[in-house]
Amino acid sequence: AKNPGRILLLLATVFVALPVAGCVDTPPAQTKPNESAGEPSTGHHTITVTDATFQSEVLANKQLVLVDVWASWCGPCVRLAPIVEEIAATYEGRVTVAKLNADENVATMTRYDVTGLPTLLFIRDGRVLERETGYRTKQEIAAKLDALLASN
């Protein structure tokens, strides 16, 4: 005999386990083995920002700033990390690339209405000029940066 109550309980359990801030996955990145494992690290060309440093490192910055909002549990965020590092190296001296851990910086997440991950914020003179949510290719991010740099 079938038990509809049992099925409903199972479905409710699945939905309760989902995180509030969704992880937006789009076509998978081409990754190398072990590249998607673990927490994205801040490389030599990116800076780490927090709720406490966001004002001084991002909003007061005179350059265009790309903020990568990420979480270690978000697969697309982890796949995007090496691309963000490559972008930081390519645009060094023209764009500041910052990484903001979503789980540790809730005030900034709330202030900028970040509801999906990864989110890329493009900020100049303290204003969000553009926002992208979900995995993006290096070419897509570079095109956005080039357009914003040309409009300065």
Side-chain angles (χ1 to χ4, degrees):
K2 294 183 181 179
N3 185 344
R6 185 179 212 177
I7 293 171
L8 281 176
L9 178 60
L10 176 62
L11 290 175
T13 303
V14 170
F15 287 113
V16 170
L18 294 174
V20 174
C23 190
V24 181
D25 197 3
T26 55
Q30 299 299 319
T31 58
K32 298 176 190 127
N34 298 325
E35 192 172 71
S36 64
E39 184 173 310
S41 62
T42 300
H44 296 100
H45 302 283
T46 59
I47 62 171
T48 299
V49 293
T50 65
D51 288 342
T53 64
F54 198 83
Q55 170 66 39
S56 62
E57 297 284 346
V58 175
L59 300 180
N61 198 314
K62 298 301 178 196
Q63 285 187 324
L64 177 62
V65 181
L66 169 61
V67 180
D68 172 22
V69 185
W70 64 277
S72 61
W73 48 262
C74 170
C77 298
V78 174
R79 289 196 312 270
L80 185 62
I83 292 171
V84 170
E85 182 60 34
E86 289 176 31
I87 289 286
T90 301
Y91 287 86
E92 189 168 24
R94 298 182 292 155
V95 175
T96 299
V97 179
K99 296 184 72 65
L100 179 78
N101 183 312
D103 293 327
E104 297 173 0
N105 298 284
V106 178
T108 302
M109 290 270 300
T110 303
R111 183 178 308 120
Y112 290 94
D113 195 29
V114 175
T115 57
L117 297 175
T119 292
L120 299 174
L121 301 173
F122 299 81
I123 299 174
R124 183 187 297 138
D125 298 324
R127 289 188 9 233
V128 176
L129 304 174
E130 300 278 342
R131 148 192 319 255
E132 298 284 338
T133 301
Y135 177 85
R136 296 295 186 267
T137 66
K138 182 179 178 181
Q139 294 76 17
E140 290 171 316
I141 298 168
K144 180 77 69 182
L145 289 172
D146 290 341
L148 291 170
L149 288 168
S151 71
N152 187 13

